[in-house]
Amino acid sequence: MDHFVSIKDLTDYELMHLIKLSDKMDNNGDAPFKEQLFAGNLFFEPSTRTKMSFLVAERKLGIEVLDFHNETSSTKKGESVYDTAKTFESIGASFLVIRHPVNNMAQQLAEQINIPIINAGDGTGEHPTQCLLDLYTIYQEFQEFQGLNIAIAGDIKHSRVARSNAYALQTLGANVFLSCKKEWQDKSLDFTYMELDQAVKTCDVIMLLRVQEERHKQHDRLNKTSYLSQYGLTKERANNMLNHAIIMHPAPVNRGVEIDSELVECKQSRIFKQMENGVKARMAVIYHLFQSRGISYGNYNQKCQPSIVQ
Ligand code: NCD
C-alpha cells in the first residue's frame, strides 16, 4: 500500500487486515519506527475530529507533527496545493495527510508526490479513514459484516462518508441501503433506497449523515424541524429499532436535525465510540503504510504480525 486515498483500492482481505490492526493499536510505549518520521497534516477545510485524531495517532506512534494552518500559510500568497505539498516533501515530511474541498485532490497529489498521501476527505469524494473507523466500530459490535443490514441515511449526494462506507461495506458482504430525500439521491451509487421508517425496523446499523449545508446552493436552505420529523432519527423511529441495532454518525452532529439530541448519547449510540476508534484506525493506516515500506519494526506489536498484508 503506497497511499491511502480511496477505499476502492482495497480488497476485502486488506480491509479486514486494517480493521484487525486497528484493534491491536494499543499505545504500548514502544517506538514502532526505525527512523524519525515527520507528518504534514494539510487541512484546507474545517476539521475537529479527523485533524485531532490524526495528531493523537501520530504522537502515539512517536511521529513529529509539522504544524500547518491554511489561514497563516503561503497559500494566502497564492501558493498552490501542489507546491505546498512539494514543499513539505522537500523539507523532510515522511507523509502527508490532506483534507481538501476539491474531489480527487488526494489522488492527484499521490500521482505527483513521492511520499505517502493519506486522504482525510476530498470534497464529496471519499473519506477512507472515517470509513475504516466506522468499519472497526461495526466489527467490534458484530464481529462480522456478511449479511448485516446497514442503512446509510441523510445527505447522500454531498457526503464523502456515504461513498466510502457504501463501497467498503458492500465489499465486506453487508447489505447496504440508502435513505434520503429524493433530491439527495445519488444515481452514481448503485444501492437500494429505503424509507427510514422501514430501515429502523430491519437494519442492524443506522448510520446517519450530517446535512452538508456548506455544499448546498444558497436556495436549498432547509427547514430543520421538519427535516428531523420527515427524514431524521426521531425518538419514535428509534423506538422501532431492533434491540441489538446501533446508531452511528461521523459527526459533527446537527443535534435536532439528523437526530434527536437525546439520542446522541443513548444506549444504542456508538457516536463517541466512533471518535475513540478513530485514533486507533489512523494509527493502523500510518503503521501499515510504513510497514509495507519496510521501515517499521516487525516486532512493534507481535499480535499484529501473522496476517500482515505487504
Ligand atoms: C465528516 C467529513 O468531514 O466528511 N466528518 C468527519 O470527518 N468526522 C462528516 C461531516 O462533516 O459531515
Side-chain angles (χ1 to χ4, degrees):
M1 193 166 85
D2 293 333
H3 304 279
F4 194 70
V5 294
S6 169
I7 217 72
K8 291 187 199 157
D9 295 337
L10 303 175
T11 62
D12 54 347
Y13 178 75
E14 288 169 312
L15 286 170
M16 279 314 300
H17 171 68
L18 283 169
I19 292 165
K20 290 183 179 171
L21 192 57
S22 303
D23 199 38
K24 307 277 162 54
M25 279 288 141
D26 307 323
N27 181 22
N28 61 10
D30 297 338
F33 301 116
K34 292 173 188 159
E35 51 192 76
Q36 188 178 29
L37 296 183
F38 292 93
N41 296 336
L42 308 184
F43 281 72
F44 293 91
E45 262 191 4
S47 175
T48 300
R49 267 152 297 274
T50 306
K51 188 173 177 181
M52 290 306 138
S53 61
F54 263 111
L55 193 76
V56 174
E58 289 156 353
R59 294 258 164 87
K60 284 192 169 197
L61 290 169
I63 298 169
E64 302 277 346
V65 184
L66 303 171
D67 214 7
F68 171 80
H69 298 282
N70 185 30
E71 286 311 308
T72 52
S73 75
S74 290
T75 58
K76 295 299 151 202
K77 300 176 187 171
E79 189 163 47
S80 67
V81 178
Y82 168 75
D83 283 331
T84 305
K86 199 72 196 161
T87 300
F88 270 79
E89 181 188 340
S90 307
I91 62 177
S94 319
F95 67 98
L96 298 177
V97 175
I98 177 150
R99 166 171 289 195
H100 198 276
V102 172
N103 288 28
N104 281 323
M105 183 54 84
Q107 182 66 52
Q108 278 177 46
L109 286 181
E111 286 159 18
Q112 297 169 312
I113 301 286
N114 300 308
I115 51 177
I117 304 289
I118 300 176
N119 183 0
D122 63 317
T124 58
E126 280 213 51
H127 197 348
T129 62
Q130 176 70 41
C131 178
L132 179 61
L133 76 89
D134 290 341
L135 297 177
Y136 173 36
T137 306
I138 294 170
Y139 183 75
Q140 255 179 355
E141 198 71 34
F142 300 101
Q143 293 80 50
E144 61 175 354
F145 294 92
Q146 200 66 41
L148 282 183
N149 293 326
I150 301 186
I152 305 179
D155 191 350
I156 303 284
K157 188 173 173 179
H158 304 101
S159 169
R160 50 197 176 207
V161 177
R163 228 162 300 286
S164 290
N165 282 3
Y167 286 123
L169 288 163
Q170 188 180 53
T171 302
L172 291 169
N175 306 313
V176 178
F177 303 95
L178 304 180
S179 180
C180 64
K181 52 192 234 156
K182 223 174 169 52
E183 305 89 286
W184 292 348
Q185 291 190 0
D186 185 336
K187 299 281 175 274
S188 71
L189 287 172
D190 191 16
F191 293 90
T192 306
Y193 281 85
M194 187 187 265
E195 294 292 326
L196 192 54
D197 283 321
Q198 192 191 339
V200 290
K201 291 179 190 154
T202 52
C203 286
D204 306 292
V205 178
I206 301 294
M207 185 183 287
L208 302 165
L209 301 170
R210 182 177 64 88
V211 175
Q212 312 266 304
E213 281 207 296
E214 74 278 21
R215 302 190 203 284
H216 296 172
K217 297 196 187 84
Q218 211 58 28
H219 62 261
D220 283 348
R221 295 275 165 230
L222 119 151
N223 179 326
K224 295 185 173 171
T225 318
S226 69
Y227 180 82
L228 177 67
S229 64
Q230 273 186 279
Y231 303 102
L233 191 64
T234 56
K235 284 189 267 187
E236 292 70 27
R237 287 195 180 104
N239 278 336
N240 287 329
M241 283 174 62
L242 303 172
N243 282 336
H244 68 268
I246 59 168
I247 300 166
M248 296 176 67
H249 189 309
V253 176
N254 290 310
R255 286 177 181 252
V257 182
E258 299 98 40
I259 178 168
D260 187 292
S261 184
E262 283 180 36
L263 297 173
V264 173
E265 293 173 72
C266 73
K267 220 170 108 230
Q268 285 174 287
S269 169
R270 297 292 176 273
I271 297 174
F272 287 95
K273 189 72 189 167
Q274 287 171 265
M275 295 177 208
E276 186 186 319
N277 288 343
V279 173
K280 286 175 152 203
R282 288 169 176 129
M283 285 173 80
V285 169
I286 297 167
Y287 180 73
H288 185 52
L289 274 170
F290 285 97
Q291 213 216 18
S292 30
R293 291 186 168 216
I295 62 165
S296 58
Y297 285 115
N299 65 353
Y300 168 59
N301 194 330
Q302 299 284 0
K303 289 177 290 178
C304 307
Q305 297 313 308
S307 60
I308 289 289
V309 176
Q310 293 301 329

